[in-house]
Amino acid sequence: MKKSLFIAISLFMFTEMQTNANTIWHPTFPKTNSCYQKDKQLPNVTASYNSSTTQLSVAFGAGQGGKVEIYRNGAKVVNATAPAGATLSYLLRNYGNGNYTVNVSQGNTVVYNKQVTVK
């Protein structure tokens, strides 16, 4: 009886050791791709505003395009979508005097936001 109990306990412990040994990470083995979180692409946008000419320029990088929204006194006057590598330019004076809000986004991320007044 004692011998069979000893064998049963030994088999159980051996099986448990095998199961635990498979979950130990060994530093010489590379991790699989499922262990890494993929990096999100960082925004690559250059936006500039010249207050003397009221010119807004937005350049999108080669990796990803984006969207430009311009509001004058709360009303949307520009809603443009640009492909990757595009450059957009706007003269805010052409839309009239007022308070402007400029939003430039890539996906769900706002990468440029500016409040300007054109007199």
Side-chain angles (χ1 to χ4, degrees):
M1 177 74 175
K2 287 184 180 183
K3 188 175 184 180
S4 61
L5 182 62
F6 175 75
I7 292 173
I9 291 174
S10 298
L11 282 174
F12 175 76
M13 288 176 56
F14 178 76
T15 317
E16 193 65 24
M17 281 188 344
Q18 285 294 327
T19 308
N20 288 337
N22 290 336
T23 60
I24 296 173
W25 178 74
H26 195 279
T28 59
F29 296 136
K31 290 185 177 182
T32 62
N33 288 339
S34 63
C35 295
Y36 293 109
Q37 182 180 4
K38 299 208 183 235
D39 290 336
K40 292 183 179 180
Q41 208 171 30
L42 295 175
N44 188 11
V45 175
T46 305
S48 63
Y49 175 72
N50 184 337
S51 59
S52 62
T53 63
T54 71
Q55 174 145 1
L56 172 71
S57 296
V58 181
F60 293 95
Q64 185 178 4
K67 186 174 185 179
V68 176
E69 296 176 319
I70 301 174
Y71 297 88
R72 183 177 66 90
N73 299 331
K76 190 182 284 190
V77 292
V78 173
N79 186 20
T81 303
T87 300
L88 303 176
S89 182
Y90 301 97
L91 275 175
L92 298 185
R93 185 177 297 140
N94 291 344
Y95 299 104
N97 295 337
N99 296 318
Y100 285 85
T101 302
V102 178
N103 293 322
V104 179
S105 60
Q106 282 188 317
N108 293 331
T109 305
V110 175
V111 294
Y112 180 81
N113 181 298
K114 184 145 181 98
Q115 306 281 330
V116 293
T117 301
V118 175
K119 295 181 180 182

